[in-house]
Amino acid sequence: MVRPSALKSMAQLRLCRWLIIIGISLLIIIIFNRVEDVVEKVELSRNLCQNLDAKRCGKALWPFKQRFRLAKKYKLLGCAIEKNFSTLLTAILCFLHNEDAFRRANRSLLNEEFHHRFCGTRNEGTNLTTIEAKWEPNEEARKSWAYIAITREPIDRFISGFVDKCLKEKTWIKYPTRCNGCKQNLTCFTEKMYARIISRSWGQRLPTTFDDDHFFPQSWRCQFAENFGRFTFLRYDASNTKPFFEELYSVFRRQNVPEEAVRFIDKSLHAGRTEHSTQNFELRRNAEAEFRASRHLMELVTRMYYFDFTLFGYPVPIL
């Protein structure tokens, strides 16, 4: 005869087995649903901006403003794209345009500003064909020039620009239409910027604004549509600048910039940050956390800059 205690133990064992089976089944269902969700998101990202979905995205290589700077004696030309190290690239090429004059004026690379830049427009232009005709009319000689464009991960650039202009500088206080009239509202700003990029991409000619200059796609700049293959692309990452500087100085050395001038540039750049820097800034961390937590905002920015991701080799976000 089986003891009652043994029967009780057997019942408990069967119950445990059933609970384990149920638990494993639930775990499998959860994992399957998560895998399905990931697959769905990957498919969405893969089909983004393709075929009929294209009109919900910014166009590739659409013409917009160009800002070129050069140092002729070193055969260097840089294209300045806002929020892509543009202020410092302008300052560096101004210094290399005339090192002695820059030093005699006691100028500093970190203190150069767009509206008070030392070279003014003396080494600048807005059309590559015009610049080449003026500074290097010999087509064969142009082959020895280095054309530089600095790119930045699109979401990083977008957040940096929003923090700099809308949260830090608060440019909307003096100019109420700036920051798309949204002041410090990230969702409002993103939605309006998306609408402007889509409108400009697909036929509506809007007057260019301050925000357009700072937030329109990188691939719309530098006359890339006709000259993409002529540029050396350098990736700027404000959180890890060492690889960027190494590449930049490598280009300078290939163009015979003296080592003393390279050292001057490097020492100047590591003496501090420009006033536009948002790295290590609490407002930046908070804005980025808010942005990345919103699938809606992530999708809008991915659609705005889809071709910045793909053309410059940055991973397209999985939404």
Side-chain angles (χ1 to χ4, degrees):
M1 183 176 178
V2 181
R3 294 180 182 177
S5 59
L7 289 172
K8 184 177 180 182
S9 296
M10 291 172 64
Q12 289 174 338
L13 182 60
R14 283 195 295 272
L15 179 61
C16 286
R17 285 174 179 168
W18 276 109
L19 288 174
I20 290 170
I21 291 170
I22 291 169
I24 292 172
S25 300
L26 288 172
L27 184 61
I28 290 171
I29 291 169
I30 290 168
I31 291 172
F32 180 76
N33 286 339
R34 285 183 178 174
V35 169
E36 242 188 0
D37 186 48
V38 169
V39 169
E40 184 183 333
K41 289 178 178 179
V42 169
E43 282 301 310
L44 172 62
S45 297
R46 187 179 295 160
N47 296 322
L48 204 70
C49 305
Q50 305 302 312
N51 303 318
L52 294 177
D53 192 54
K55 288 201 172 185
R56 297 176 62 200
C57 302
K59 275 190 174 181
L61 303 173
W62 201 239
F64 188 57
K65 281 186 178 179
Q66 329 299 332
R67 300 186 192 278
F68 299 106
R69 287 82 170 93
L70 66 153
K72 184 182 178 181
K73 65 179 173 178
Y74 301 120
K75 299 183 178 181
L76 279 166
L77 180 141
C79 178
I81 303 172
E82 283 82 353
K83 296 310 300 176
N84 292 20
F85 197 73
S86 59
T87 303
L88 286 172
L89 179 65
T90 298
I92 290 168
L93 290 175
C94 173
F95 165 68
L96 293 176
H97 178 68
N98 191 333
E99 297 104 308
D100 292 338
F102 194 90
R103 284 182 168 126
R104 281 197 304 271
N106 198 29
R107 303 290 289 209
S108 162
L109 295 181
L110 289 178
N111 291 332
E112 289 288 288
E113 297 177 11
F114 179 78
H115 294 292
H116 302 96
R117 55 199 189 280
F118 180 65
C119 287
T121 59
R122 291 191 298 278
N123 69 325
E124 300 181 0
T126 57
N127 181 278
L128 197 53
T129 303
T130 305
I131 289 172
E132 290 174 338
K134 176 181 178 181
W135 294 93
E136 190 60 273
N138 187 309
E139 189 172 344
E140 188 63 28
R142 282 184 219 140
K143 294 178 181 178
S144 61
W145 280 64
Y147 287 32
I148 301 169
I150 297 170
T151 69
R152 191 169 182 175
E153 198 281 330
I155 292 175
D156 177 46
R157 175 177 178 256
F158 181 83
I159 293 171
S160 176
F162 176 77
V163 171
D164 181 32
K165 303 303 176 189
C166 306
L167 303 186
K168 189 179 173 186
E169 290 185 21
K170 299 179 183 176
T171 56
W172 45 269
I173 293 176
K174 186 174 181 180
Y175 306 100
T177 59
R178 290 190 181 179
C179 296
N180 286 326
C182 297
K183 297 182 179 178
Q184 297 180 304
N185 187 316
L186 178 58
T187 298
C188 169
F189 176 80
T190 306
E191 290 174 344
K192 288 191 175 182
M193 202 71 250
Y194 170 76
R196 290 191 64 81
I197 288 174
I198 297 304
S199 295
R200 180 65 75 100
S201 293
W202 299 99
Q204 188 176 353
R205 303 302 298 176
L206 303 172
T208 299
T209 69
F210 175 86
D211 297 319
D212 297 343
D213 286 343
H214 290 82
F215 293 93
F216 270 10
Q218 301 166 68
S219 56
W220 289 9
R221 312 302 288 269
C222 310
Q223 293 175 244
F224 284 141
E226 304 88 10
N227 301 284
F228 195 85
R230 301 173 68 186
F231 279 89
T232 296
F233 294 101
L234 307 179
R235 290 187 175 194
Y236 178 71
D237 179 354
S239 66
N240 180 22
T241 57
K242 185 177 178 182
F244 166 74
F245 286 131
E246 287 175 350
E247 282 192 77
L248 181 65
Y249 300 154
S250 176
V251 173
F252 289 169
R253 291 182 178 110
R254 286 202 302 270
Q255 296 304 117
N256 298 312
V257 174
E259 198 60 35
E260 185 276 330
V262 174
R263 285 197 300 271
F264 172 84
I265 293 167
D266 187 60
K267 183 178 179 181
S268 299
L269 295 181
H270 288 88
R273 292 182 178 273
T274 70
E275 64 174 13
H276 297 295
S277 173
T278 61
Q279 201 64 24
N280 301 322
F281 199 60
E282 187 176 356
L283 287 175
R284 159 73 194 233
R285 291 192 291 272
N286 293 340
E288 183 164 5
E290 178 188 347
F291 181 85
R292 293 191 182 276
S294 169
R295 183 173 177 178
H296 171 60
L297 298 184
M298 285 287 291
E299 180 174 346
L300 290 183
V301 169
T302 302
R303 288 184 178 281
M304 288 156 60
Y305 301 134
Y306 178 79
F307 291 102
D308 283 1
F309 285 108
T310 57
L311 288 170
F312 300 128
Y314 294 102
V316 177
I318 295 176
L319 303 170

